């Protein structure tokens, strides 16, 4: 994890919007988005589809299976690439988790972890 101190919260949160926490109880198969910075400067939204959600009562890095459907992201990166781990997964305007792994044989597919398990840490 990343640890440290913030000296000036105003600069950190200025012009940012908050998001409702959804978690595993609101996650479902269907359309969603990931937020990721692939150009080194700008956070962008990319379309994904959650293919499968796993019912879990405890932490597992493979909470859900996702597929990148965003043609721009696929054209620019081929799908999920190194450095995208931790990219937030948003569905129905709720934060439900983060990207964790890519499928070795198909970079357009990967796994996500429910936000619930991150908040418990």
């Amino acid at each position: 994890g990343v640890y440290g101190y913030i000296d000036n919260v105003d600069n950190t949160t200025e012009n940012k919007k908050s998001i409702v926490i959804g978690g595993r109880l609101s996650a479902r198969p269907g359309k969603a988005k990931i937020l990721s910075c692939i150009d080194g400067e700008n956070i962008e939204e990319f379309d994904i589809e959650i293919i499968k959600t796993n019912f879990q009562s405890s932490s597992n890095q493979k909470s859900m299976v996702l597929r990148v459907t965003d043609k721009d992201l696929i054209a620019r990166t081929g799908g999920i690439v190194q450095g995208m781990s931790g990219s937030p997964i948003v569905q129905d305007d709720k934060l439900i988790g983060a990207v964790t792994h890519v499928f070795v044989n198909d970079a357009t597919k990967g796994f996500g972890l429910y936000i619930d398990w991150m908040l418990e840490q």
Side-chain angles (χ1 to χ4, degrees):
V2 177
Y3 299 89
Y5 298 95
I6 296 175
D7 294 327
N8 186 344
V9 175
D10 293 335
N11 289 342
T12 307
T13 59
E14 189 175 319
N15 299 320
K16 304 290 190 273
K17 67 177 187 172
S18 61
I19 189 164
V20 174
I21 301 295
R24 71 185 190 273
L25 298 179
S26 65
R28 60 174 173 68
K31 293 182 180 184
K33 295 196 179 284
I34 59 171
L35 306 176
S36 197
C37 177
I38 62 171
D39 68 1
E41 293 184 25
N42 301 299
I43 298 171
E44 300 176 69
E45 282 188 359
F46 299 103
D47 294 324
I48 65 165
E49 177 185 8
I50 297 173
I51 300 169
K52 179 182 178 186
T53 55
N54 295 316
F55 177 78
Q56 298 172 320
S57 57
S58 62
S59 178
N60 184 326
Q61 294 179 347
K62 297 176 181 173
S63 300
M64 62 190 111
V65 179
L66 56 101
R67 173 183 22 237
V68 175
T69 58
D70 195 288
K71 293 183 185 342
D72 180 48
L73 181 59
I74 294 169
R76 291 165 64 189
T77 66
I80 300 168
V81 294
Q82 186 175 3
M84 290 177 75
S85 294
S87 293
I89 301 171
V90 178
Q91 187 177 50
D92 299 326
D93 296 320
K94 295 177 184 172
L95 178 62
I96 61 167
V99 175
T100 58
H101 297 81
V102 63
F103 282 24
V104 175
N105 60 344
D106 184 354
T108 64
K109 293 181 182 174
F111 293 106
L113 171 71
Y114 294 133
I115 189 70
D116 308 57
W117 312 135
M118 291 180 268
L119 294 174
E120 285 183 6
Q121 295 297 315

